[in-house]
Amino acid sequence: MKNSYSNIFPFNKKILNKTIKLLNKKSIVCLPTETVYGLAGNAYSKVAVSKIFNLKKRPKSNPLIIHYHDINQISKDVCLSKNFRKLYKKFCPGPITFILKKNKKSRINHKACAKLKTLAIRFPKHKVVRTILKNINYPLAMPSANMSSGVSPVSAFDVYEEFKKKVQLIIDGGQSKIGIESTVVDLTEKPKILRPGIINTSDIEKILKLKIKKKVNTSKIKSPGMMKKHYSPGIPILINQKKFDNKSAFIYLGKKFKYKKNFFSLSFDSNLKKAASNLYKTFRLIKKHGYKKIQIAKIPYRGIGLAINDRIKRAANYK
Ligand code: TXA
Ligand code: MG
């Protein structure tokens, strides 16, 4: 396929083999997942892991999520717990990441986990990444495929915008269905949600049959992804807005301003799941249009709305 995006490829047998070859020689590839696109490399390899940090310009203190095909590959790397097994059975493969105690014998490169004694693991659902994981004998370290602190990509073209030709291969797996990053749940002590997502607190509480404390103590940041400035499209964002300033782009729910210039609905029927999946796409679109500022109307604080509010607050660097 020859076009200006000559490093974007559709998924087929030939590309599967090429991807495996690249990963085996410690190169980095960009893969679709059901949440957002990721920048993938062999998690056992210091060379591959260093390349990921360098490409993203990611602070060394921010650990990566390690991706596996299924539960059978993880016992060498992490200590399995009862709560983990329950959540795995219900939600995996799917958009949830578990923080578990690292096994002393783990071969995961210590840079990938920022030298912590814990490890973040995930079992992605997207067919492309699952097929690749099934055909290699190491897990994949895979952060979102964007420059550090920017907006996660939800299509192959978004990834291209981030890295251009700095990566050899981007697999086009279509628009990421979920559109925001996985829920991160810490199971090393009492279960805690470190990053809200589509699988929400009450879904997890139901399975574990316990109550999860609402507020994580942010003075002691446990997950570096909880850094305040994150997911930023690089222009000022104001949240909980009521009045429209006609120089900015206005993001809202519903169809009240459907035909009005400068107004961007996340979902015409105010569906929060659809709104989450359109959020990053809308940020990128607005930036492309050349707007210098984004205003966002209030998004309800319920269900998936919690995850959307988490992302927009960080994007706005709101304290
Ligand atoms: O949906 C996703 O999770 C995507 C796709 C590509 O799988 N990946 C992703 O990775 O969002 P990344 O690197 O952009 O975000 C990983 C988050 C960060 O907030 C990081 O600080 C946190 O997981 N994390 C990783 N290891 C951790 C650990 N041992 N303890 C606490 N947080 C950890
Ligand atoms: Mg990220």
Side-chain angles (χ1 to χ4, degrees), residues 15-23 29 31 132 169 171:
I15 294 302
L16 170 66
N17 291 334
K18 184 171 170 162
T19 307
I20 294 170
K21 243 189 212 157
L22 286 169
L23 288 168
V29 296
L31 307 179
I132 292 163
L169 186 142
I171 297 182

Side-chain angles (χ1 to χ4, degrees), residues 25 61 100 154 171 176 206 241 270-271 284 289 295 316:
K25 59 174 207 192
S61 57
L100 296 173
V154 293
I171 297 182
S176 296
K206 256 181 236 151
Q241 298 289 291
S270 300
N271 176 306
R284 279 182 195 271
H289 280 316
Q295 289 182 271

Side-chain angles (χ1 to χ4, degrees), residues 33 35-39 56 58 62-65 67 97 99 112-113 116 118-120 122 124 142-146 152 180-182 184 194-195 222-226 230-231:
T33 89
T35 56
V36 299
Y37 275 66
L39 201 56
K56 272 183 74 84
R58 181 168 173 123
N62 194 1
L64 308 177
I65 299 175
H67 296 67
T97 293
I99 311 295
C113 33
L116 296 173
T118 57
L119 199 66
R122 172 160 127 75
M142 182 161 61
S144 51
N146 52 279
S152 296
I180 57 169
E181 307 79 358
S182 60
V184 177
L194 300 186
R195 179 172 73 183
K222 183 116 200 252
S223 185
M226 291 169 75
H230 217 110
Y231 316 117

Side-chain angles (χ1 to χ4, degrees), residues 183-197:
T183 305
V184 177
V185 53
D186 182 353
L187 298 175
T188 56
E189 303 163 8
K190 264 194 193 146
K192 272 194 237 52
I193 307 295
L194 300 186
R195 179 172 73 183

Side-chain angles (χ1 to χ4, degrees), residues 50-285:
S50 303
K51 281 183 188 166
I52 293 177
F53 276 93
N54 291 341
L55 269 167
K56 272 183 74 84
K57 296 200 175 23
R58 181 168 173 123
K60 302 274 179 285
S61 57
N62 194 1
L64 308 177
I65 299 175
I66 311 304
H67 296 67
Y68 297 84
H69 183 268
D70 62 70
I71 196 168
N72 297 316
Q73 290 103 46
I74 63 173
S75 62
K76 271 193 202 133
D77 293 330
V78 286
C79 308
L80 279 69
S81 68
K82 244 192 196 159
N83 282 343
F84 164 72
R85 285 182 198 277
K86 285 184 197 163
L87 294 175
Y88 177 85
K89 202 166 161 209
K90 176 71 185 174
F91 298 118
C92 294
I96 183 164
T97 293
F98 307 97
I99 311 295
L100 296 173
K101 290 200 173 108
K102 199 163 79 177
N103 190 327
K104 285 200 178 77
K105 291 195 189 114
S106 166
R107 284 173 59 202
I108 301 296
N109 178 258
H110 66 271
K111 281 189 170 174
C113 33
K115 299 188 181 160
L116 296 173
K117 293 200 167 72
T118 57
L119 199 66
I121 65 166
R122 172 160 127 75
F123 308 88
K125 194 172 185 170
H126 195 290
K127 190 180 97 224
V128 168
V129 66
R130 273 182 73 70
T131 309
I132 292 163
L133 284 165
K134 208 174 167 136
N135 283 282
I136 53 181
N137 52 10
Y138 44 84
L140 292 174
M142 182 161 61
S144 51
N146 52 279
M147 298 302 286
S148 184
S149 88
V151 176
S152 296
V154 293
S155 74
F157 298 101
D158 293 349
V159 178
Y160 182 84
E161 262 179 15
E162 295 284 330
F163 298 110
K164 302 283 183 325
K165 299 278 167 66
K166 284 189 209 148
V167 286
Q168 227 178 307
L169 186 142
I170 303 169
I171 297 182
D172 188 352
Q175 186 84 26
S176 296
K177 283 211 172 74
I178 290 172
I180 57 169
E181 307 79 358
S182 60
T183 305
V184 177
V185 53
D186 182 353
L187 298 175
T188 56
E189 303 163 8
K190 264 194 193 146
K192 272 194 237 52
I193 307 295
L194 300 186
R195 179 172 73 183
I198 291 292
I199 295 175
N200 63 37
T201 309
S202 64
D203 299 330
I204 293 174
E205 286 177 337
K206 256 181 236 151
I207 303 302
L208 298 185
K209 298 193 173 67
L210 51 80
K211 204 88 196 121
I212 295 177
K213 250 174 92 182
K214 278 272 169 313
K215 197 91 186 134
V216 177
N217 180 6
T218 41
S219 62
K220 201 177 111 202
I221 289 182
K222 183 116 200 252
S223 185
M226 291 169 75
M227 288 180 300
K228 287 233 163 73
K229 187 169 164 32
H230 217 110
Y231 316 117
S232 164
I235 51 176
I237 294 185
L238 300 167
I239 61 172
N240 297 329
Q241 298 289 291
K242 286 189 185 134
K243 242 181 114 193
F244 172 61
D245 154 1
N246 61 18
K247 283 201 199 87
S248 51
F250 195 88
I251 294 181
Y252 73 108
L253 285 176
K255 51 182 175 215
K256 197 168 163 195
F257 310 111
K258 195 171 174 182
Y259 301 107
K260 273 190 125 168
K261 210 181 146 217
N262 304 339
F263 284 74
F264 297 81
S265 176
L266 291 180
S267 160
F268 286 143
D269 55 358
S270 300
N271 176 306
L272 292 172
K273 202 170 177 181
K274 284 188 204 158
S277 82
N278 283 323
L279 182 69
Y280 292 155
K281 198 167 84 177
T282 307
F283 279 172
R284 279 182 195 271
L285 182 69

